Amino acid sequence: MNPVTVVWSMIAAACLTLAAVHLPVWWRNREARATLAFTLAATSTAAIAILELQLLNSRSVAAYAETLKWGHVPVALMMISLAAFAYHYLDADWPWLAIGGLALRLVSLVLDFTTGVNINYLEITRLHDFTLLGERVAAPEGVPNPWMAIAQLGVILLALFLARATVMTWRRGRRAVAVFVGCSLTFYLAAGACQAFLVYWGLVPAAPSTLSLFSLGVVVVMGYALSVDLLRARRLVLDLREREEEANLAADAANLGIWTRYIARDEIRASDKWRELFGFRPGEQVGTDQVLARIHVDDRATFAKRLTQAAREHGGYQSEFRLVLPDGRLRWIAALGRIDFDARGRALRSRGACIDITARKNTEQEMLRLRQDIAHVSRVSVMGQLASNLAHEINQPLGAILRNAEAATLILQKPAPDLQEIDAILEDIRNDDQRAGEVVDRMRTMLRRRELAMAPLDCGQVLGDVAALLRADAAARHVGLELAVPADLPAVRGDRVQIQQVLLNLILNAMDALDGLDDQSRFVAVTARRQETQGVEISVADSGPGIPADQLERIFEPFVTTKTQGIGMGLSISRGIVETHGGRLRAENNAGRGATFRFTLPLAG
C-alpha cells in the first residue's frame, strides 16, 4: 500500500473515531452545541479525505471531474460546522458574516451541479502526474469555472467572521483561547482557501489539492479546545466533589439533611441524614408522592401550597411540618429551600435543607403549657379579688327568688288565688335564676383550666361579659365603667377566656389606679374600633394619675409594678397572651390625665 493511501486513510479513520467518541457526548447533553459542531467537522473531514484520496488515485478525466463535484458537499458541511463551532465557542458578535459566507457556499453548491463539469472547471482537459510522498498522484489541468469566485467569496466572509470572533475573544479576556483556537482556525481556513485558489485558477500548474490536510488542522484545533474544556471540567468536578464533601461534613455537624429534586423526572437525591430524618432507606428511590405521604395529613396542604407559591413567584420557601414515620412516631421538621429556573422561566430543580426541630417544638409546647398554667393562676387570683362582689351579685337574684317564692306561697293559700299574679312571680323567678346562672357560668369559665382554643369572637359580647363580671366591683369602688363598641365591628379571632383575662387585668388595673381620687373623676372607658391594617384595636383608658415616666418602658416586664400590693405579673401575662394571638399590647399616658392601654386582635377572616 502506497504512503498516500496510508496517510489519507489514517486521516479519515482518525476523524471518524473522534466523531464517534463525541457524538454520544452531545446526545447526552444537547446544550453542548460546540461538541456537535466538532462531530460534524470530523465527519466532513473524513469524507473530504476519502474523496480526495479518490482524486489523487484517479486515472480518467471523467472520474476526476465527478469526484471533485461531489467533494464540495462535505466541504460545505465543514464550513457550516466551523461557523457553528466559532459561534458557540468563541465570543462571536457578527453572525451576518457567517450567514453571508454560508449562503454563498450553498449557492455555489447548486452551481457545482449545474455549470461546467463542476464549480472549479468548465472543462478538465487532462491529468498530470505529480509526486507526493514519493508516489505518483493525479493533478488536473483545464478551463477554470468563473462561478468559482462565488464559493471563494463565501470562504473569505467566513474567514472574516473567524477573525472578528478571535478579536472579540481577545478583548474579553480569553486570550489563550483567542491565540490557540481563534487564530489557528482562521489560519487553516485561509491556508486551505489560498491553496485551492492557486490550484484551481491555474496559478500553480499541475498541482493536486490537499484540502483534507487543512481540514485535519481545523479538527485538531477543535479537538484541542474541547479537550482543554474537558480537563477544566474534570478539575471543576474534583473541586466540586471536595466542596460537596466539606458541605456534607458541615451539614452533618449541624444535623442538616440536604436534598435536591429534579422536577422534570420527579427524582429526589438526598443525603443520608435527610433519608434518616424522613425514614427512607439508603438507596431507596424517592419522589414527591413518597415525601408527601410521610407529611402529616394536617400539614400536607400547607406544605404543597408553599411549594406552589415558590414556583409561581420564582423564589424560596420556608416551612415547618410534622412527619409520620413508618413506626408511627411524629417528628417536627423545619425546611428551607429554593427553586432554580432555566432561561425560559421553567422550573428545573428545587433544593434545600431540613433539620429536626422536635425537641424545640416539645419545649415550645411545654412553655405554652406553663404560660397557660400561669395565666390560669392569674385568673383564679383575679376571681378571688372579685369574690365578695360576685357573691353579692349572686345573692341579689337568689334573695329575689326567695321573696317571690314566699309571695307565691301566700297567694296560693287564698281560696281564690290570682293566677296572673302567680304567672308574673314565676317569670321574675326565672329571670333571677338566669341572672344568677350567668354569673356562675362566667365564673366557671374563667376558673376552668383549658387549652388554647382559637375561634371567631364577637367583641361586643366579649366586652359585655367582662363588664358584667366587673359591674358589682366597679359600683363598690364608685367607678364609672363605660363601654363603646360599634355595632358593625367585625369578628376577631382569638381565645375567649384569654381575651377576657386580658380585659379583666387591664380594667382592674385601671380601677386600682383610681383609688384615692375624688368620686367625680373616677371612670374607666373601654372602646373598640376597626383598624384597616391591624384588625380591631381595644383600648382601656382611666382618669388616674398615669404611669411614672421611668416605668413606662418597663411596665410589661415581669415583677415590675406600680401597685403597693402587686407582684408585677398581670401585664406581663397579658402581653404574652396578646402576642400569642398575633397582636401587640402597648401603654401610653394621656394628654390630660390618666393612662391608656391598647392591644390589637386579628380579624377572624
Side-chain angles (χ1 to χ4, degrees), residues 403-446:
R403 290 191 294 274
N404 279 318
E406 291 172 347
T409 301
L410 293 175
I411 293 173
L412 289 173
Q413 289 175 356
K414 295 180 180 180
D418 187 350
L419 296 181
Q420 290 184 351
E421 185 68 22
I422 295 294
D423 245 4
I425 290 173
L426 292 176
E427 182 65 25
D428 289 341
I429 291 174
R430 182 165 51 253
N431 292 335
D432 290 333
D433 177 76
Q434 289 177 349
R435 281 180 56 200
E438 288 173 357
V439 175
V440 173
D441 286 342
R442 294 190 188 103
M443 293 178 62
R444 290 174 60 189
T445 300
M446 294 297 295

Side-chain angles (χ1 to χ4, degrees), residues 358-407:
T358 305
R360 193 194 83 189
K361 283 293 184 179
N362 290 338
T363 302
E364 290 177 357
Q365 292 295 326
E366 184 62 28
M367 292 179 62
L368 179 60
R369 284 193 292 271
L370 290 174
R371 286 200 300 267
Q372 291 175 348
D373 290 343
I374 294 173
H376 176 257
V377 172
S378 176
R379 288 199 301 272
V380 172
S381 175
V382 169
M383 297 308 295
Q385 298 176 32
L386 301 176
S388 59
N389 292 319
L390 288 174
H392 176 71
E393 189 79 6
I394 295 173
N395 283 333
Q396 280 186 336
L398 291 180
I401 290 172
L402 177 60
R403 290 191 294 274
N404 279 318
E406 291 172 347

Side-chain angles (χ1 to χ4, degrees), residues 8 11-13 15-16 40-54 67 70-71 73-75 77 212:
W8 263 252
I11 292 174
C15 289
L16 288 176
L40 295 177
T43 303
S44 60
T45 299
I48 292 172
I50 293 172
L51 292 173
E52 199 168 69
L53 181 60
Q54 294 181 11
T67 303
W70 285 100
V73 175
V75 170
L77 181 62
S212 58

Side-chain angles (χ1 to χ4, degrees), residues 16 61 222 239 299 309 323 372 376 391 401 416 429 436 458 569:
L16 288 176
V61 171
M222 288 185 181
D239 292 343
D299 301 336
Q309 183 178 1
L323 293 177
Q372 291 175 348
H376 176 257
I401 290 172
I429 291 174
D458 184 338
M569 290 300 295

Side-chain angles (χ1 to χ4, degrees), residues 4-18 42 45-50 52 210-217 219:
V4 172
T5 303
V6 172
V7 172
W8 263 252
S9 298
M10 289 178 63
I11 292 174
C15 289
L16 288 176
T17 301
L18 291 173
T45 299
I48 292 172
I50 293 172
E52 199 168 69
T210 55
L211 182 60
S212 58
L213 298 179
F214 299 102
S215 297
L216 178 62
V219 171

Side-chain angles (χ1 to χ4, degrees), residues 137-165:
V137 296
E141 180 182 340
V143 180
N145 189 340
W147 291 108
M148 180 171 48
I150 294 179
Q152 292 173 346
L153 179 59
V155 175
I156 293 173
L157 291 179
L158 184 59
L160 291 175
F161 171 72
L162 288 176
R164 173 66 183 180

Side-chain angles (χ1 to χ4, degrees), residues 477 513-522 542-545 593:
R477 298 189 187 200
L514 300 177
D515 290 342
L517 299 180
D518 58 66
D519 293 345
Q520 293 182 354
S521 59
R522 299 165 62 86
D542 63 68
S543 57
R593 55 184 299 180

